[in-house]
Amino acid sequence: MHDILYHKFNLTQYDHHEFPGVVPRTFLGPLLISLVISPVVALFNILSINKFWSQYLVRLTLAAFVSLAFNRLRRTLNQKFGNDFSIWFLAIHLSQFHFIFYMSRPLPNVMTLPFVLLAVDSWLKREQRGFLVFSGIAILIFRSELVIFLGLLLIYDLFYKRITIPELLKLGVPIGAILVLLTVIVDSIFWQKPLWPEAQVFWYNTILNKSSDWGTSPFLWYFYSALPRALGLSLLLVPYGLYAEARIRAITIPALLFVLLYSFLPHKELRFIIYVFPMLNIASACACQRFWQNRNKSIFRGMLAVFAIAHLIGNFILTVFLLTVSKNNYPGGVAISRLHRIASNEMNVTIHIDNLTAQTGVTRFTEIYSNWTYRKDENLKAGDAELHNFNYLLVEVKNRFSPEMKLLAQTHEKIELIECFSNIGVHYASFFPIRIRTKPCIMIMKKKKNGILLKRYFEVEEESDGNNEFLNEEFPDENENLTINFEEEKEHEEKEENEEEEEVITEAPPKILKRKRLRSSILKMKIKEIIEAGKLENMDIQNDDDTIEQISQENQDIQINDDLPEEENDFSIESEINQDDEESETVDKNDIGSGKTKDNIKKIISKEKTKQLLDELKKIDLSALCDLEQMDTKECLKKILDENVE
């Protein structure tokens, strides 16, 4: 829709040529919406209004199409079942989350939803021509799997002779031929090759069953997961509605059979069955109507009427919860919005947008600055030289200690971290026990002025003579204790020193110097890793900057006996820490709850963290970082800590 509105007839600039997706999709739906709103978008361009507002317009237009079709179906149901039923039917939909959530999202399932609702409306009115036209559009142009649901309704008509086979052929064949011809002509122009999109989608998903490559779910997943989330407590009322109102079985049972038969495809998503939500809600509305009409006949029936109202409140609470979760599912949209505010005054900016960012909220409508370059190169990886050319990176953060993040940090500095939904936690001691937990998701990074691009793993082998143990190391997760083994690196250093002693020339060749610089940089990285781990473990006490400053200060305050031999320095460090710990444990119990006790507790924890850090630092061969002939171990550690604090 963006390309139709802004590139118009310049088909070579359309996004789908560079990113075609797994299977081709029709342009007829986007073309219809774009034609409707094109005058308003033209006005936006004249008034120089940010084109991101066009995305709101696009989505509101799609939601309007769904709403109009839904309202037409509701009016037809009102004529058949009465005004009370119509009110319950509308109230149930307004209390549920997923139907309203999806009705504005430009997906093939949502594009076809209005035509499914119109087809059902025509079927209820026994308008055979309208039913075949809308069903044909839904099946032949948008979603071929709907032949199951709409085909079951057609079989019902044939069985009860509401339409005969000759009538079906007389109406259906011309309608089908026209619709296929329409999609082939239009989509062949936009895709610039002969194409019937939905036929190719049917072949890929159903015949080849390739959709399973994108994830699989258990056979009954739609029944125990998707429908309960989508319908909420209203799902409990469906069986009674089917029992109490025989007239709705002809439309509700085919909807359930559609879900059952569609479950044979292993790849499942909630949006794939969005068409059945109104059909099942018909049964729920019938149940609520019966409960409400009979509320005065007995106490039990009065309780059922109360449940009919209470279940709407329960649905609303579930909707609020799901809304809170869903707002954390679009870190890409948040990231691009934050970046536009951060760099609003910059010109000719180039941005790299990775896959996760593009999948979670970044669209062509969000590319609001014409003098910026937005790139979505899928094959770029951390360490690629081309990344050095981007002013900003929007990249996924799987693990902040990963080698990829370290490579990116060589050329780009971290600006802001965007979090997204992780899981749901329960805090039993809280008034609101359910907590929504988030995790680091997307990092906004800015190019450093003097950034040095490290080569990729396979290129480092040339500089390290094939010994690239560091790049093959597995870095610990940030929630685990940091334990890094430096024995291999130390052995490598000693081996190299022996080789250098055997050299006849007095000045090291450039290759060896380059290798030593790389190894020195690696060791500094590891030391910084240890310090960062201490900072993360101590995060609950102070802010990040304060914590690392505290760790550094605690290390510098340790009294090391310079008179002792160098090899005894480690023992002196531990002794001083143990002594400080013993002194810290002598806190007056009467001071509990005071600020002094709080500070002492912080100091005790900080000492413990410091001890752990020094245990890791002792394992490092510092000869690559300091001249140990000119300074002792204490001075070398202080120098490294000072550099990292700065």
Side-chain angles (χ1 to χ4, degrees):
M1 287 184 284
H2 169 275
D3 294 344
I4 294 171
L5 291 169
Y6 288 95
H7 296 314
K8 297 180 175 62
F9 297 103
N10 189 3
L11 299 181
T12 58
Q13 296 295 317
Y14 278 42
D15 182 76
H16 69 284
H17 296 305
E18 186 177 1
F19 303 100
V22 181
V23 289
R25 289 296 181 183
T26 181
F27 269 82
L28 286 172
L31 188 60
L32 175 61
I33 294 176
S34 300
L35 290 175
V36 170
I37 67 172
S38 57
V40 183
V41 173
L43 180 62
F44 284 0
N45 294 334
I46 294 173
L47 299 177
S48 299
I49 295 177
N50 188 326
K51 73 175 181 178
F52 184 63
W53 289 98
S54 298
Q55 177 167 307
Y56 285 109
L57 189 60
V58 159
R59 295 201 169 197
L60 287 172
T61 304
L62 177 58
F65 280 126
V66 177
S67 299
L68 290 172
F70 175 84
N71 194 48
R72 181 173 172 178
L73 174 62
R74 185 187 62 84
R75 288 198 304 267
T76 300
L77 292 171
N78 184 33
Q79 295 173 1
K80 289 184 173 294
F81 301 106
N83 189 58
D84 288 347
F85 168 87
S86 178
I87 294 174
W88 283 107
F89 184 67
L90 180 61
I92 288 173
H93 278 88
L94 292 176
S95 71
Q96 295 170 346
F97 173 75
H98 283 93
F99 188 81
I100 298 177
F101 172 74
Y102 274 110
M103 66 190 297
S104 65
R105 298 188 64 189
L107 300 164
N109 310 87
V110 183
M111 292 282 186
T112 192
L113 181 57
F115 299 104
V116 176
L117 296 175
L118 292 174
V120 173
D121 176 73
S122 298
W123 184 82
L124 289 172
K125 295 176 180 178
R126 298 194 177 185
E127 297 176 354
Q128 299 300 334
R129 183 183 299 274
F131 172 70
L132 292 176
V133 169
F134 293 126
S135 297
I137 293 174
I139 296 170
L140 299 175
I141 296 179
F142 289 103
R143 298 295 302 191
S144 57
E145 71 271 10
L146 281 166
V147 70
I148 301 174
F149 173 51
L150 299 174
L152 288 172
L153 297 181
L154 180 61
I155 291 173
Y156 180 91
D157 284 352
L158 289 171
F159 181 81
Y160 286 100
K161 301 187 183 304
R162 294 169 62 175
I163 187 174
T164 63
I165 293 180
E167 291 175 336
L168 174 63
L169 294 176
K170 182 179 179 180
L171 291 173
V173 172
I175 291 173
I178 293 173
L179 292 175
V180 170
L181 187 62
L182 176 63
T183 183
V184 169
I185 293 175
V186 173
D187 290 311
S188 296
I189 293 174
F190 280 98
W191 285 93
Q192 298 185 349
K193 61 181 179 181
L195 183 67
W196 177 8
E198 199 51 35
Q200 188 167 331
V201 173
F202 176 79
W203 180 264
Y204 181 89
N205 288 336
T206 306
I207 305 301
L208 300 180
N209 196 22
K210 289 288 188 177
S211 62
S212 59
D213 295 343
W214 307 99
T216 61
S217 299
F219 180 80
L220 295 176
W221 181 84
Y222 285 129
F223 292 96
Y224 70 76
S225 178
L227 287 177
R229 284 184 289 124
L231 302 183
L233 296 176
S234 302
L235 183 63
L236 300 176
L237 301 173
V238 171
Y240 182 80
L242 286 171
Y243 166 78
E245 183 57 76
R247 292 178 295 172
I248 68 170
R249 296 171 190 168
I251 191 170
T252 305
I253 292 177
L256 291 171
L257 288 175
F258 166 74
V259 178
L260 179 64
L261 295 174
Y262 200 48
S263 296
F264 282 97
L265 285 180
H267 179 60
K268 299 176 176 65
E269 295 184 36
L270 185 145
R271 62 186 175 93
F272 291 168
I273 61 169
I274 191 174
Y275 329 101
V276 308
F277 299 166
M279 315 310 156
L280 298 181
N281 282 334
I282 291 176
S284 301
C286 285
C288 290
Q289 181 191 27
R290 288 293 183 92
F291 292 160
W292 188 254
Q293 288 177 344
N294 300 326
R295 65 187 182 278
N296 296 322
K297 293 184 178 180
S298 67
I299 296 177
F300 176 71
R301 292 181 177 180
M303 293 175 61
L304 291 178
V306 172
F307 175 77
I309 297 176
H311 106 276
L312 296 178
I313 300 175
N315 283 353
F316 178 75
I317 294 173
L318 178 62
T319 294
V320 172
F321 173 73
L322 292 174
L323 180 64
T324 307
V325 171
S326 68
K327 78 181 185 68
N328 293 307
N329 275 335
Y330 298 92
V334 176
I336 194 70
S337 178
R338 298 271 180 87
L339 178 58
H340 284 147
R341 286 196 287 267
I342 292 171
S344 59
N345 297 325
E346 299 183 28
M347 303 289 289
N348 300 320
V349 173
T350 56
I351 307 169
H352 169 62
I353 300 168
D354 77 345
N355 287 341
L356 179 66
T357 309
Q359 293 168 6
T360 56
V362 174
T363 70
R364 291 297 189 189
F365 287 104
T366 63
E367 300 175 0
I368 61 177
Y369 294 140
S370 59
N371 56 15
W372 285 22
T373 301
Y374 302 84
R375 295 278 300 277
K376 297 189 296 182
D377 304 82
E378 296 182 355
N379 298 322
L380 290 183
K381 298 179 180 179
D384 285 346
E386 190 174 349
L387 286 176
H388 188 58
N389 299 325
F390 291 97
N391 301 111
Y392 289 94
L393 307 178
L394 302 180
V395 292
E396 179 181 4
V397 181
K398 293 181 179 178
N399 186 342
R400 281 177 284 184
F401 295 104
S402 66
E404 290 81 6
M405 290 304 299
K406 296 180 185 301
L407 289 172
L408 293 174
Q410 298 300 311
T411 58
H412 292 75
E413 60 182 332
K414 301 173 183 178
I415 300 299
E416 188 169 351
L417 180 64
I418 309 299
E419 296 193 338
C420 62
F421 174 76
S422 175
N423 55 54
I424 299 170
V426 178
H427 297 261
Y428 298 101
S430 175
F431 180 75
F432 296 102
I434 298 177
R435 292 288 183 271
I436 296 174
R437 297 171 180 170
T438 58
K439 63 181 179 180
C441 210
I442 292 175
M443 183 74 73
I444 303 175
M445 307 185 75
K446 182 178 181 180
K447 183 179 178 181
K448 296 179 180 178
K449 292 183 179 180
N450 297 316
I452 301 174
L453 183 63
L454 288 182
K455 293 189 176 182
R456 296 186 58 185
Y457 305 158
F458 59 85
E459 294 174 336
V460 175
E461 183 176 359
E462 179 183 354
E463 295 183 315
S464 59
D465 294 335
N467 296 309
N468 49 351
E469 298 90 352
F470 168 69
L471 297 176
N472 293 326
E473 250 180 303
E474 290 187 4
F475 286 82
D477 186 80
E478 56 190 288
N479 295 322
E480 298 177 358
N481 292 327
L482 186 65
T483 55
I484 301 177
N485 184 8
F486 297 101
E487 293 301 320
E488 293 182 0
E489 184 66 24
K490 184 175 180 180
E491 292 176 2
H492 182 66
E493 290 283 349
E494 293 175 353
K495 179 180 178 181
E496 198 166 72
E497 287 177 1
N498 294 333
E499 292 176 353
E500 290 179 7
E501 289 177 357
E502 295 175 1
E503 290 289 338
V504 178
I505 56 176
T506 57
E507 185 176 357
K511 184 176 180 180
I512 295 178
L513 292 176
K514 192 173 184 181
R515 185 166 62 243
K516 291 188 70 176
R517 285 196 298 270
L518 176 63
R519 193 170 298 104
S520 175
S521 175
I522 290 171
L523 285 176
K524 287 183 179 179
M525 264 186 184
K526 293 185 176 182
I527 293 173
K528 187 174 181 181
E529 194 78 73
I530 295 173
I531 296 172
E532 285 292 320
K535 179 183 71 174
L536 290 172
E537 289 176 336
N538 207 18
M539 191 175 293
D540 292 335
I541 301 176
Q542 293 177 319
N543 295 330
D544 291 354
D545 295 337
D546 295 339
T547 303
I548 197 166
E549 182 178 355
Q550 176 186 350
I551 293 172
S552 175
Q553 187 62 38
E554 293 293 340
N555 279 281
Q556 294 178 2
D557 289 342
I558 295 172
Q559 301 297 324
I560 301 177
N561 189 356
D562 293 332
D563 297 331
L564 292 175
E566 184 175 331
E567 60 270 18
E568 295 181 14
N569 276 348
D570 291 338
F571 175 79
S572 301
I573 294 173
E574 294 176 355
S575 301
E576 290 295 331
I577 293 175
N578 293 333
Q579 182 179 353
D580 288 342
D581 288 341
E582 291 174 2
E583 293 174 358
S584 299
E585 290 172 358
T586 61
V587 179
D588 190 349
K589 295 182 180 180
N590 296 326
D591 290 335
I592 293 177
S594 65
K596 180 179 178 181
T597 301
K598 186 176 180 180
D599 293 337
N600 286 330
I601 292 173
K602 291 181 180 179
K603 185 175 181 181
I604 292 171
I605 297 175
S606 178
K607 294 290 185 183
E608 184 64 23
K609 300 304 178 185
T610 302
K611 187 191 302 182
Q612 294 177 6
L613 294 181
L614 288 175
D615 289 339
E616 298 297 334
L617 289 171
K618 287 191 302 180
K619 300 176 184 179
I620 301 177
D621 181 11
L622 301 176
S623 59
L625 303 177
C626 305
D627 186 358
L628 297 181
E629 295 180 358
Q630 302 295 328
M631 63 176 68
D632 57 19
T633 305
K634 176 192 68 174
E635 294 172 342
C636 182
L637 287 175
K638 285 185 177 182
K639 174 185 174 184
I640 296 170
L641 289 169
D642 289 340
E643 291 175 352
N644 282 282
V645 170
E646 293 174 357

